[in-house]
Amino acid sequence: MTVRLLVCATCRAGEAVEDGRPVPGARLAAALEAGGAPDGVALQRVECLSACGQGCAVALCAPGRWSYVYGRLTEADAPDILTGAAAYAAAPDGLVPWRERPAIFRKQSLARLPPIGEPE
C-alpha cells in the first residue's frame, strides 16, 4: 500500500514573499522531490495544511494507519523527512517506534490522528 507524504507547498513560514523567489513551502517540496520519494511513498504538494503558525509542514497518511502532521521544517530537513516517510511506510499501522523516528519527527510533531474507518 502506498502512503502519502503531503507537503504544504504554499507555506510562507512567516517570511516576507520576495518577487520571483519560491516560498519556503515550495522550496521544501522541491528539496523532497529532488531527494526522491522512498519505495511505497507518494509525494504530493498541497495548498495548505493549516499549520501556518508552525512554519513549513508535512503530513503522512494512509488508509488504516495513524496520520501525523509535522511542522517547523525547512528544505535542509528533506533527508530526515524522507527517512521518516520510509519508516512510516514500513510500519503497518503507521506507528513507528519512538527511537526509530528521525529527531525532527520526535520533536516537531504537531498532531497525530487515529486511523479513519469503522470503530473496532
Side-chain angles (χ1 to χ4, degrees):
M1 168 191 316
T2 299
V3 303
R4 296 189 317 159
L5 172 58
L6 308 174
V7 184
C8 182
T10 57
C11 183
R12 296 178 185 199
E15 293 182 13
V17 178
E18 298 177 27
D19 287 339
R21 180 156 162 81
V23 297
R27 296 194 311 261
L28 174 58
L32 290 167
E33 290 163 352
D39 288 340
V41 177
L43 180 62
Q44 180 181 348
R45 289 179 181 229
V46 296
E47 289 201 21
C48 186
L49 289 173
S50 289
C52 304
Q54 297 295 324
C56 293
V58 301
L60 286 165
C61 59
R65 295 177 187 225
W66 284 82
S67 297
Y68 292 87
V69 180
Y70 301 99
R72 301 178 302 280
L73 303 169
T74 70
E75 63 253 43
D77 296 316
D80 286 336
I81 294 167
L82 294 171
T83 297
Y88 179 83
D93 56 3
L95 296 172
V96 178
W98 180 259
R99 294 188 188 276
E100 294 176 25
R101 298 176 194 174
I104 60 168
F105 280 13
R106 291 192 306 260
K107 297 178 180 180
Q108 293 169 220
S109 177
L110 303 180
R112 181 175 93 148
L113 305 168
I116 296 175
E118 294 297 318
E120 294 182 11

